[in-house]
């Protein structure tokens, strides 16, 4: 039995369009539906590629202080919410697997969000829980640097992986239904996260 592309559930785990719109187009979402050949992504190309689900990456630079990182993360979440609201005939914000199935049945692109780097929460489990309430469904524990509680891939070779604080954050992520993303992390962090988590992990990219 053969399958066609339209039979499959194609979900892109990591798309940097939000940060590209911020830095190159002043966070304007109005052209995404018409086509933006100067960027890697727009809605016509997602439709042409038959992408059924998209994790929009919420990246903020690791050089920011905690307060700035949290603020910019909220602004990235706001951008995704505005993007979905601007194109309701094509996009829908999804929080659960059931939402994704419903989006597929309705011919809509299910939009999800992932934080790229634990520095985005400003070392606050309260902020982490709020992000989950706003629809964030995974967090990459590190980027190429930081946070203090998790070793990134640039730690050579990486010893502890996760501190006690990092292990707590993994447990909170489990409780709020946020996937642990092991992209960018040190091997020791991978091992520590796998020891601690009680839910599946992913590599988003």
């Amino acid at each position: 039995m053969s399958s066609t592309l339209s039979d499959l559930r194609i979900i892109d785990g990591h798309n940097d369009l939000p940060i590209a719109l911020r830095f190159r187009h002043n966070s304007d979402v109005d052209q995404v539906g018409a086509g933006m050949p100067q960027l890697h992504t727009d809605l016509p190309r997602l439709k042409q590629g038959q992408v059924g689900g998209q994790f929009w990456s919420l990246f903020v630079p690791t050089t920011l202080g905690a307060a700035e990182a949290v603020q910019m993360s909220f602004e990235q979440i706001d951008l995704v919410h505005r993007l979905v609201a601007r194109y309701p005939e094509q996009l829908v914000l999804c929080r659960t697997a059931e939402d994704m199935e419903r989006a597929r049945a309705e011919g809509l692109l299910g939009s999800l969000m992932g934080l790229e780097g634990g520095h985005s929460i400003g070392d606050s489990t309260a902020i982490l829980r709020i992000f989950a309430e706003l629809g964030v469904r995974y967090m990459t524990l590190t980027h190429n640097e930081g946070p203090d509680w998790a070793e990134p891939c640039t730690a050579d070779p990486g010893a502890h992986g996760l501190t006690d604080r990092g292990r707590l954050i993994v447990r909170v992520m489990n409780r709020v239904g946020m996937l642990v993303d092991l992209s960018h992390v040190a091997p020791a962090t991978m091992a520590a996260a796998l020891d601690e988590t009680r839910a599946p992990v992913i590599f988003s990219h």
Side-chain angles (χ1 to χ4, degrees):
M1 179 179 176
S2 62
S3 297
T4 65
L5 195 59
S6 60
D7 296 325
L8 304 176
R9 290 171 174 80
I10 300 186
I11 301 175
D12 181 359
H14 182 90
N15 189 315
D16 282 315
L17 180 65
I19 196 69
L21 290 175
R22 179 187 180 97
F23 285 145
R24 298 179 61 179
H25 295 277
N26 197 31
S27 297
D28 184 5
V29 300
D30 286 340
Q31 298 303 311
V32 179
M36 302 185 75
Q38 69 274 31
L39 299 180
H40 291 161
T41 297
D42 52 43
L43 295 188
R45 280 180 287 176
L46 288 172
K47 183 175 182 179
Q48 182 181 15
Q50 299 186 46
V51 177
Q54 179 65 76
F55 276 97
W56 302 109
S57 176
L58 311 173
F59 172 73
V60 304
T62 57
T63 53
L64 297 178
E68 293 174 294
V70 169
Q71 177 179 331
M72 188 170 170
S73 297
F74 273 118
E75 291 167 352
Q76 293 287 86
I77 292 170
D78 173 71
L79 188 151
V80 172
H81 279 256
R82 288 191 294 108
L83 178 67
V84 172
R86 176 67 176 79
Y87 301 101
E89 72 288 353
Q90 298 180 66
L91 304 176
V92 61
L93 189 66
C94 293
R95 301 169 186 269
T96 65
E98 291 77 14
D99 289 344
M100 289 294 291
E101 291 292 347
R102 190 157 44 250
R104 185 170 188 260
E106 295 173 1
L108 298 173
L109 191 153
S111 289
L112 308 109
M113 291 180 283
L115 287 168
E116 191 177 13
H119 62 289
S120 297
I121 65 171
D123 197 29
S124 169
T125 54
I127 295 296
L128 179 63
R129 289 190 292 269
I130 292 169
F131 285 163
E133 286 289 326
L134 292 172
V136 176
R137 284 298 169 261
Y138 76 67
M139 182 170 71
T140 318
L141 297 183
T142 75
H143 195 250
N144 292 334
E145 298 175 353
D148 291 341
W149 45 264
E151 289 185 313
C153 57
T154 51
D156 187 18
H160 64 72
L162 291 174
T163 65
D164 289 343
R165 178 68 172 172
R167 290 177 179 274
L168 170 64
I169 287 171
V170 167
R171 294 196 298 272
V172 173
M173 292 174 69
N174 285 173
R175 288 199 295 270
V176 299
M178 191 183 291
L179 290 165
V180 173
D181 178 21
L182 298 180
S183 306
H184 289 288
V185 307
T189 306
M190 296 181 198
L194 288 169
D195 286 342
E196 194 65 36
T197 186
R198 296 298 176 264
V201 303
I202 64 168
F203 289 85
S204 67
H205 63 296

